[in-house]
Amino acid sequence: MAGAAHPKIQVVLDQDYATALEMLVANANTSIDALSFSFAIGSAAGRPSRESSSHAIAKQFAELKATNPSVRMRFFFEGLRETADRNRMTGEFLENAGIEVRFGSTHAKGFCFDERYVFFGSTNLTNQSLLKNREANLLIDDRDVAKGFMRYFDHQWNGGEHGGIQLPKPWLADGAFELVLIDLCDRAQRSLDFSIYFFNHRDIERAIVRAHGRGVRVRGLVHQHKSFAYPYVARSRATVERMRRAGLHDLHFGIPTIFSHSKYIVADEKEIMLGTGNWLLEDVNTHPQLYIHIEDASVSKALLEHLASQIQKAMGAEM
């Protein structure tokens, strides 16, 4: 089971992310530690864009370091996959400002401020993610939760490999989210509601179908897009079609022109798993991830309202 409720949690959705991050940076006193899959201050062709939202955020980090050099800032970037070149441009900008930078393998994304505030979820620091995507993040004021995040950050910072660390509750490192997610589905009694970017994992699929078979109401939103990562989109569509044939009809695809990038599931309107991993075997077995597993009725309500709104918009776009 998940741990106790966490009253000091705010849900930060979609385009509210940038404002929340700017406030956190402005109020940082001692440290900022960041995991970043994609932080792009320039174009894919390698040209910097000083007008972008992500460049404005990078500039804020640099300005904070200039005005308050005692604040230690560390950024751990994905340095191997498709985002690596753009991350290196950002990393060079930050290093020139006196900020510590390292590269490795990560799909996690999130911040810890002053070893107290954790800002974590699906949003990347790109113009697409900041200005257009449907995203879901949590802002948590809890020093114990921050300790768990920092254990994972330090593991990655010091060269730790995928699957090389087990975190205290409520955190799940790397592929540990797989079995916990399946267990959550198997324990659900009344409802399962989810939003996921890519979905092609047969064991998770079967667990959701099993829940439906014993009378659990299932509702889901799955990303689709016609111009990016189409093989993953095709695999996700195949998953949804199989589930529909099994009788799950309250499953929906996102608007094709907008990335439905959030990754969360809510069981029985109270138990939540939210993180960075897609429901793919490669995101379980290969790509470093981070999930949080909590019980919180108010957080659940906010996520369910977000999901309902996105489904309504997606259904409207189909008409």
Side-chain angles (χ1 to χ4, degrees):
M1 286 292 293
H6 295 276
K8 299 181 180 179
I9 301 179
Q10 298 178 47
V11 179
V12 181
L13 301 168
D14 304 335
Q15 281 64 65
D16 291 336
Y17 181 92
T19 300
L21 180 58
E22 289 167 4
M23 291 181 63
L24 287 163
V25 176
N27 288 285
N29 293 310
T30 59
S31 63
I32 301 175
D33 297 286
L35 296 169
S36 186
F37 174 69
S38 185
F39 189 171
I41 64 170
S43 68
R47 293 186 293 272
S49 176
R50 293 180 175 82
E51 304 303 319
S52 69
S53 295
S54 48
H55 190 280
I57 290 171
K59 184 179 178 183
Q60 187 182 12
F61 287 121
E63 290 173 346
L64 175 60
K65 191 64 178 176
T67 58
N68 193 349
S70 65
V71 177
R72 186 183 187 190
M73 299 188 209
R74 296 185 295 174
F75 278 76
F76 184 84
F77 286 99
E78 168 62 38
L80 303 177
R81 296 171 68 193
E82 66 275 7
T83 63
D85 289 344
R86 299 176 78 182
N87 286 343
R88 291 189 184 281
M89 181 190 303
T90 306
E92 182 178 351
F93 176 89
L94 296 176
E95 281 188 312
N96 288 339
I99 296 169
E100 299 174 64
V101 172
R102 290 185 185 177
F103 292 87
S105 176
T106 190
H107 190 248
K109 31 213 164 243
F111 291 86
C112 187
F113 293 86
D114 300 337
E115 298 188 2
R116 172 178 172 177
Y117 301 98
V118 174
F119 194 30
F120 157 81
S122 62
T123 300
N124 289 300
L125 297 179
T126 66
N127 252 18
Q128 174 74 38
S129 196
L130 293 167
L131 300 179
K132 298 179 181 179
N133 288 3
R134 300 294 178 252
E135 308 278 4
N137 299 270
L138 301 179
L139 172 54
I140 306 170
D141 177 4
D142 187 311
R143 289 193 180 275
D144 288 334
V145 172
K147 286 179 183 177
F149 181 94
M150 288 306 303
R151 278 191 62 185
Y152 188 70
F153 175 87
D154 288 335
H155 170 74
Q156 293 235 282
W157 185 259
N158 294 318
E161 297 183 352
H162 178 280
I165 187 171
Q166 184 173 352
L167 297 178
K169 294 179 180 179
W171 293 108
L172 298 164
D174 301 331
F177 77 88
E178 175 192 37
L179 295 182
V180 178
L181 176 53
I182 291 169
D183 177 68
L184 179 147
C185 294
D186 284 335
R187 288 187 293 100
Q189 298 177 0
R190 299 183 306 278
S191 61
L192 287 172
D193 297 272
F194 67 86
S195 177
I196 190 66
Y197 187 49
F198 296 139
F199 187 179
N200 183 222
H201 189 296
R202 288 301 183 100
D203 288 342
I204 296 174
E205 174 188 336
R206 292 184 184 113
I208 295 174
V209 172
R210 284 196 300 271
H212 166 76
R214 62 177 187 273
V216 174
R217 177 190 58 75
V218 176
R219 177 179 58 166
L221 179 71
V222 180
H223 166 75
Q224 68 170 343
H225 204 276
K226 296 182 178 179
S227 62
F228 178 79
Y230 187 74
Y232 286 104
V233 173
R235 290 162 62 187
S236 298
R237 292 191 64 88
T239 297
V240 171
E241 293 307 322
R242 284 193 302 271
M243 296 172 74
R244 284 175 171 173
R245 289 196 296 270
L248 288 80
H249 299 300
D250 200 2
L251 302 179
H252 308 271
F253 292 108
I255 299 172
T257 56
I258 299 174
F259 282 53
S260 302
H261 193 244
S262 52
K263 305 163 178 68
Y264 61 82
I265 187 167
V266 180
D268 298 332
E269 300 184 0
K270 64 178 182 178
E271 186 174 349
I272 306 143
M273 288 182 64
L274 181 148
T276 67
N278 295 294
W279 298 348
L280 301 169
L281 285 175
E282 47 265 60
D283 274 27
V284 170
N285 297 328
T286 306
H287 304 143
Q289 310 288 351
L290 196 56
Y291 261 81
I292 195 165
H293 180 205
I294 59 173
E295 288 187 9
D296 191 298
S298 62
V299 172
S300 296
K301 181 179 179 181
L303 290 174
L304 293 175
E305 289 176 351
H306 179 251
L307 178 63
S309 172
Q310 299 316 308
I311 289 176
Q312 184 177 21
K313 291 175 182 177
M315 293 176 67
E318 293 172 355
M319 296 178 64

